[in-house]
Amino acid sequence: MIDFLTSVNNLPRKTKIVATIGPSVANPEKIVKLIQEGVDVFRLNFSHGTLEEHFSVLQTIRKYDSQQKEFHGVIGDLPGPKLRIGEIQGEEAELLNGAIIYIIHSTLPGSLPVITVENDMLFALLKAGDIFFINDGLVRLRILSNQNRIILCKVEKGGIISSRKGINIPYLPDSFPSLTARDLLILEAIKDWDLDFLALSFVRGVKDILTLRKKISPFKKPFSIIAKIEKPQALDEIEDIVEASDGIMIARGDLGVEIPVESVPFWQKKIIFESRRRCKPVIVATQMLDSMIRNPIPTRAEVSDVAGAIFDGTDAIMLSGETAMGDFPMESVQIASKIARYTENHADFVPDVQKIISDNTDLSSAISFGAWEIARNLKLPVIVTATYSGSTARRISRFRPNIPILAFSPQYHILRHLKLSYGVIPFSMNLCTEPSELIEEMKRLTLASRFGKKGDKIVITAGVPLQKSGFTNLLQVEEI
């Protein structure tokens, strides 16, 4: 009997892996090991750790890329209007069903029956009778009274809580700012960092995206914006949010607390499809291999969950606690990679293509579709694209071809962005101004990449002139 987790190690993986950095992997040796295990994009979670620690991690990644001539994307994840409990003496505590708990405004560590919260906005948001959740909905509490910054509540569903765990209040008011005072301080501190993406937490509408884009527009290097979908309000205008963003993260932990849990798979499928239609990379996140925080192998349900996200057509899967604070971070990446390889080898995305292309009748979309169709019908080994802004590669990627997409660009930051797109393998190239020169250079680089060999036919797409962003007008089949 073939072991499905070991039989596909040599297959090229197209689904990208995002790894969150935390105490378990924060030193340079472990970051390099994560890269070697196959991590494509790193997430710096600004809700935890210090900016100095995050900057050190960023420098390690950039140093590695410079030395090895590789490309890895880095996401800076803003805390957003996320309320959290404070520190807990002993780091964690168990809340029992029916227990009475006091929540007070303080910066000091709490000790049961007292939990502390630093952000005093919590006390303005809750009233007697309201419910709220701690730790991704695992613990549910009901407010008995709220007076003088002392909340008295009853534990309706108990569980373990630990320091700095998040608080969820269903339907957070729109008046709550999308960028908090803490976010603004972080933005000022990181404005010159060599990040690729900013993830905006708790997006409720397009206006939240526009607020952040306006804020970062004066930066020397404006970051691409990933909208984190974790509030029910966002679902009401999801298509517009996808259009306004540069990428999407489906943060199922918080989302699953605030909408009926049985509806999460439907929204996952819908958001992935809407992102693909608009050529926006999409990440499925939260509890992908959650049990591997403490165990060396995942549950069968978790394996199915990761595979399900890939069958749905996601660009990337994200590991959070598994790599940030887990006991088996490398094993988590290895397992995620093996599941992805096996699943991709059995996924059929062809039925999706006509639905995606039906609303895209421009020349660039037609040529990208043509490249996919030619490669499929002729059984070509790769699709080759020259791209200045990344749009040509992303247009092809949304069809989820079963062969690699080699993306050549003279722009390093675009190559790092493309590490988040399904099936795209980025390579650096010199700027070519003449079409004939560009084609010969891509043939040479494809041969050098070892994804094509002499005598192979390849399909080439590009926008000519190459410096013209977001435009694809060349389609050609060539022999290497």
Side-chain angles (χ1 to χ4, degrees):
M1 183 176 178
I2 296 174
D3 178 354
F4 95 103
L5 287 181
T6 58
S7 64
V8 293
N9 284 340
N10 296 322
L11 298 176
R13 173 169 50 80
K14 303 174 190 68
T15 306
K16 303 306 176 73
I17 295 177
V18 181
T20 303
I21 296 294
S24 292
V25 291
N27 67 61
E29 292 77 17
K30 290 183 177 179
I31 292 168
V32 170
K33 179 65 173 171
L34 286 173
I35 292 173
Q36 293 169 343
E37 293 293 350
V39 171
D40 300 286
V41 177
F42 290 90
R43 171 180 173 245
L44 307 179
N45 185 0
F46 294 142
S47 294
H48 303 285
T50 67
L51 289 179
E52 290 76 16
E53 290 167 343
H54 291 307
F55 186 71
S56 176
V57 169
L58 177 62
Q59 293 296 89
T60 297
I61 297 166
R62 294 298 179 236
K63 180 179 178 181
Y64 177 91
D65 281 356
S66 176
Q67 291 174 343
Q68 302 298 321
K69 294 182 171 53
E70 294 186 16
F71 311 96
H72 292 87
V74 181
I75 301 169
D77 196 336
L78 295 171
K82 176 83 169 183
L83 297 165
R84 295 182 180 276
I85 63 174
E87 299 294 325
I88 294 176
Q89 291 183 19
E91 286 302 312
E92 66 177 35
E94 183 177 6
L95 300 184
L96 300 176
N97 289 343
I100 302 299
I101 302 296
Y102 296 88
I103 297 179
I104 67 171
H105 180 244
S106 174
T107 59
L108 298 175
S111 178
L112 294 185
V114 176
I115 296 172
T116 60
V117 172
E118 295 180 20
N119 192 330
D120 62 357
M121 295 191 75
L122 176 72
F123 301 88
L125 291 170
L126 295 173
K127 63 183 185 300
D130 287 347
I131 62 168
F132 69 99
F133 303 89
I134 301 176
N135 193 11
D136 286 338
L138 295 179
V139 174
R140 183 177 72 237
L141 302 101
R142 186 172 297 275
I143 308 299
L144 301 178
S145 66
N146 179 4
Q147 295 179 340
N148 301 320
R149 292 188 178 181
I150 298 176
I151 294 175
L152 183 66
C153 52
K154 182 178 181 179
V155 179
E156 291 193 340
K157 186 175 76 170
I160 301 293
I161 60 170
S162 55
S163 296
R164 305 292 302 166
K165 281 298 181 182
I167 296 172
N168 284 93
I169 303 172
Y171 283 92
L172 192 68
D174 288 342
S175 58
F176 209 71
S178 59
L179 291 174
T180 65
R182 184 183 179 195
D183 292 329
L184 295 175
L185 289 173
I186 290 171
L187 286 174
E188 182 61 27
I190 69 171
K191 64 182 181 181
D192 294 322
W193 287 19
D194 193 17
L195 289 171
D196 301 296
F197 305 95
L198 273 181
L200 181 61
S201 298
F202 301 100
V203 170
R204 284 158 290 176
V206 171
K207 61 180 177 55
D208 294 336
I209 305 296
L210 300 180
T211 297
L212 177 57
R213 204 173 290 284
K214 182 178 179 181
K215 181 64 184 176
I216 66 176
S217 61
F219 289 5
K220 183 168 58 178
K221 181 196 165 189
F223 310 118
S224 294
I225 297 174
I226 294 176
K228 293 174 68 176
I229 308 302
E230 47 196 334
K231 299 297 291 182
Q233 297 97 315
L235 304 179
D236 295 334
E237 49 181 294
I238 189 62
E239 295 182 22
D240 293 333
I241 289 172
V242 173
E243 190 67 45
S245 307
D246 303 303
I248 295 292
M249 182 189 296
I250 308 171
R252 304 175 305 172
D254 287 293
L255 184 63
V257 173
E258 302 198 21
I259 66 173
V261 68
E262 65 271 17
S263 70
V264 173
F266 163 80
W267 283 108
Q268 176 174 301
K269 283 180 177 290
K270 180 174 175 59
I271 295 167
I272 288 173
F273 185 74
E274 295 300 335
S275 299
R276 289 174 63 190
R277 281 182 59 202
R278 292 165 176 80
C279 306
K280 305 295 176 72
V282 57
I283 306 165
V284 174
T286 318
Q287 298 174 331
M288 303 300 292
L289 297 172
D290 195 60
S291 69
M292 289 194 72
I293 293 176
R294 295 290 175 261
N295 299 294
I297 59 173
T299 67
R300 306 309 186 260
E302 288 167 341
V303 173
S304 295
D305 182 41
V306 173
I310 296 166
F311 279 127
D312 287 344
T314 189
D315 285 272
I317 54 176
M318 190 173 92
L319 301 175
S320 300
E322 300 93 330
T323 53
M325 60 180 188
D327 295 334
F328 303 96
M330 305 305 163
E331 292 85 348
S332 297
V333 175
Q334 291 166 5
I335 291 291
S337 186
K338 290 174 182 178
I339 297 168
R341 287 193 182 98
Y342 188 90
T343 304
E344 294 159 3
N345 198 43
H346 292 81
D348 180 12
F349 297 114
V350 174
D352 297 343
V353 173
Q354 197 57 49
K355 290 185 288 185
I356 289 171
I357 199 66
S358 62
D359 293 331
N360 293 268
T361 55
D362 59 286
L363 177 63
S364 297
S365 293
I367 288 179
S368 301
F369 170 72
W372 170 84
E373 193 167 36
I374 288 169
R376 177 170 170 262
N377 290 339
L378 298 183
K379 296 181 171 54
L380 303 184
V382 291
I383 298 172
V384 180
T385 177
T387 182
Y388 195 73
S389 66
S391 65
T392 302
R394 284 193 293 270
R395 281 192 177 98
I396 299 170
S397 171
R398 64 183 167 161
F399 301 133
R400 305 297 188 251
N402 63 357
I403 56 176
I405 304 164
L406 306 190
F408 297 102
S409 179
Q411 303 220 85
Y412 276 35
H413 72 282
I414 294 301
L415 296 172
R416 297 197 312 236
H417 279 66
L418 289 173
K419 287 290 283 191
L420 198 54
S421 293
Y422 183 96
V424 177
I425 303 173
F427 293 95
S428 176
M429 71 176 294
N430 295 323
L431 181 64
C432 300
T433 56
E434 294 296 324
S436 58
E437 177 192 11
L438 179 64
I439 289 169
E440 289 304 313
E441 179 68 356
M442 286 197 286
K443 288 165 62 177
R444 184 186 70 80
L445 290 171
T446 301
L447 184 61
S449 75
R450 299 186 180 180
F451 283 95
K453 62 184 186 297
K454 276 195 173 183
D456 280 348
K457 286 186 171 61
I458 58 174
V459 60
I460 295 174
T461 69
V464 179
L466 188 57
Q467 301 97 315
K468 187 173 182 179
S469 298
F471 183 67
T472 308
N473 61 354
L474 183 148
L475 174 64
Q476 206 153 317
V477 177
E478 292 281 337
E479 183 176 306
I480 300 177

